[in-house]
Amino acid sequence: MSGERRAGGGALPAPHGPGKRCRGGRRVAESEEDMYRDAEEIERERVLLCGTSSSEYKLSIAPEMDIMEYCRKEWRGNTPVAKRMRKGYEAVAQKFASIRRVRGDNYCAFRATLFQALSQATQLPSWLQSEDFTMLPENLLSKYDWIKKWQLKQKLSRNMGEISDEIKDYLILLRKKWKNISEIKGPIEKQEACDKLFKNEEEEYSLYEALKFLMLNTAIELYNDDKNGRRVPVFSWLLFARDTSSNPCQLMHNHLNHIGHSGGLEQVEMFLLAYALQYTIQVYRLYKYSTDEFITLYPNDPEEDWPVVTLITEDDRHYNIPVRMCQETML
């Protein structure tokens, strides 16, 4: 399928070594077959990545560009896949004028969702205002000894006190950044503040650790509710029906601990992220164009008062951001 898609397309390069590259938010061995491009195109991308400066690696959210211009650059040729993608982008362009590429590492779902949430934030969510919010790590660790195996930024072997204090710092940072950005009234100033935050690698990745812990807390609540006979959303059954996550402890060990390191978010975990943030995540799934799954909501039965953020994916692994809602759509 040579020529169907240009080299280096889809996501900002992630700072991996030249022997591996990131496709759709996952690290891929160089021997693995690429579903879009031929060997020559893949090799050209590796050359580009080797020549990319460290400052470019730190660019988490690229500047916006016209969404159809982006589509034309990314998807060429007349294969069924290319045609479907172009049709999908044309449909998105009816609602949004531009797109912003997201860095293609295993945090891309977190990055895209949080960036969109902060970009439109006008107030601090109620769950962030709770007095007990920053006590979550201490409270959970006092009940569940297995949380001491929580993996933070690829480091293990911490004691409970260190884990609790570090996660607490991340939660405090999340509340502080959300509060500061939500209080900015001007849209240009708000966008500049978001761009600045997502250029600060240390703070950015700390926020993702906070999101992961909030997902664990939500999973524990759902699991306990189900065991106690309370009503839980359908995705919760699916989450704990997996052989690798039959309970919150397994979910942490086999899934949450690997997010950002060796894997990204799976579909059912997108539901969990939405519940943790109390946001509806609306995703244009371009490869599902012309099916009833083209626009998917996480969760599919959201609360009416939950804010909505919108993402774009070509493969359910990597996510980009549509921006500048068309005037007709706004009206």
Side-chain angles (χ1 to χ4, degrees), residues 150-163:
W150 183 262
Q151 182 170 334
L152 286 168
K153 296 185 177 181
Q154 300 182 331
K155 296 178 183 178
L156 292 171
S157 303
R158 286 176 168 84
N159 62 45
M160 281 193 175
E162 290 174 335
I163 293 173

Side-chain angles (χ1 to χ4, degrees), residues 37-267:
R37 295 175 284 175
D38 63 14
E40 182 181 349
E41 289 176 308
I42 295 171
E43 183 59 33
R44 282 202 301 270
E45 179 183 4
R46 290 201 186 102
V47 172
L48 287 172
L49 290 184
C50 289
T52 304
S53 71
S54 59
S55 62
E56 288 177 285
Y57 283 146
K58 293 181 181 180
L59 186 63
S60 289
I61 310 289
E64 66 181 74
M65 68 180 297
D66 180 84
I67 198 165
M68 289 313 299
E69 179 184 348
Y70 172 82
C71 173
R72 286 189 290 270
K73 287 182 177 180
E74 292 297 317
W75 292 99
R76 302 170 179 172
N78 293 305
T79 65
V81 172
K83 290 179 179 178
R84 186 180 307 116
M85 291 298 176
R86 288 199 294 269
K87 288 289 187 181
Y89 275 110
E90 287 171 4
V92 178
Q94 300 301 309
K95 304 288 186 181
F96 296 90
S98 303
I99 188 171
R100 297 189 69 169
R101 291 168 63 202
V102 174
R103 181 193 285 182
D105 62 10
N106 291 310
Y107 284 111
C108 68
F110 281 157
R111 181 175 289 114
T113 301
L114 186 59
F115 185 89
Q116 289 288 66
L118 292 177
S119 295
Q120 64 186 50
T122 57
Q123 62 183 11
L124 200 61
S126 58
W127 53 269
L128 271 176
Q129 298 178 34
S130 169
E131 292 182 2
D132 297 332
F133 176 70
T134 58
M135 298 302 294
L136 273 178
E138 183 178 335
N139 292 338
L140 289 184
L141 279 161
S142 68
K143 297 177 183 176
Y144 308 103
D145 182 68
W146 46 265
I147 296 181
K148 68 184 180 181
K149 296 294 185 181
W150 183 262
Q151 182 170 334
L152 286 168
K153 296 185 177 181
Q154 300 182 331
K155 296 178 183 178
L156 292 171
S157 303
R158 286 176 168 84
N159 62 45
M160 281 193 175
E162 290 174 335
I163 293 173
S164 178
D165 290 344
E166 196 158 344
I167 296 174
K168 182 177 181 178
D169 287 342
Y170 298 151
L171 295 177
I172 290 173
L173 179 68
L174 177 65
R175 181 159 64 183
K176 174 185 174 183
K177 294 298 180 181
W178 206 307
K179 181 176 185 295
N180 290 346
I181 291 176
S182 66
E183 291 175 349
I184 299 174
K185 302 303 181 184
I188 296 177
E189 292 80 4
K190 187 185 293 286
Q191 198 62 62
E192 289 175 348
C194 288
D195 289 343
K196 182 179 179 181
L197 174 59
F198 284 81
K199 289 177 183 175
N200 184 325
E201 240 177 20
E202 182 65 27
E203 290 189 337
E204 180 188 350
Y205 287 103
S206 295
L207 296 178
Y208 303 151
E209 294 296 336
L211 295 188
K212 282 202 292 183
F213 197 79
L214 292 175
M215 288 173 67
L216 176 63
N217 178 61
T218 302
I220 291 173
E221 289 178 348
L222 291 170
Y223 183 82
N224 289 339
D225 282 348
D226 186 47
K227 292 301 180 183
N228 293 323
R230 300 189 185 95
R231 183 180 178 184
V232 295
V234 173
F235 91 86
S236 181
W237 301 339
L238 301 175
L239 183 70
F240 296 116
R242 300 183 297 184
D243 293 338
T244 54
S245 63
S246 60
N247 56 54
C249 179
Q250 283 193 341
L251 176 68
M252 183 194 78
H253 278 293
N254 299 323
H255 295 274
L256 296 181
N257 270 351
H258 298 282
I259 294 172
H261 309 306
S262 58
L265 289 185
E266 297 181 14
Q267 283 275 281

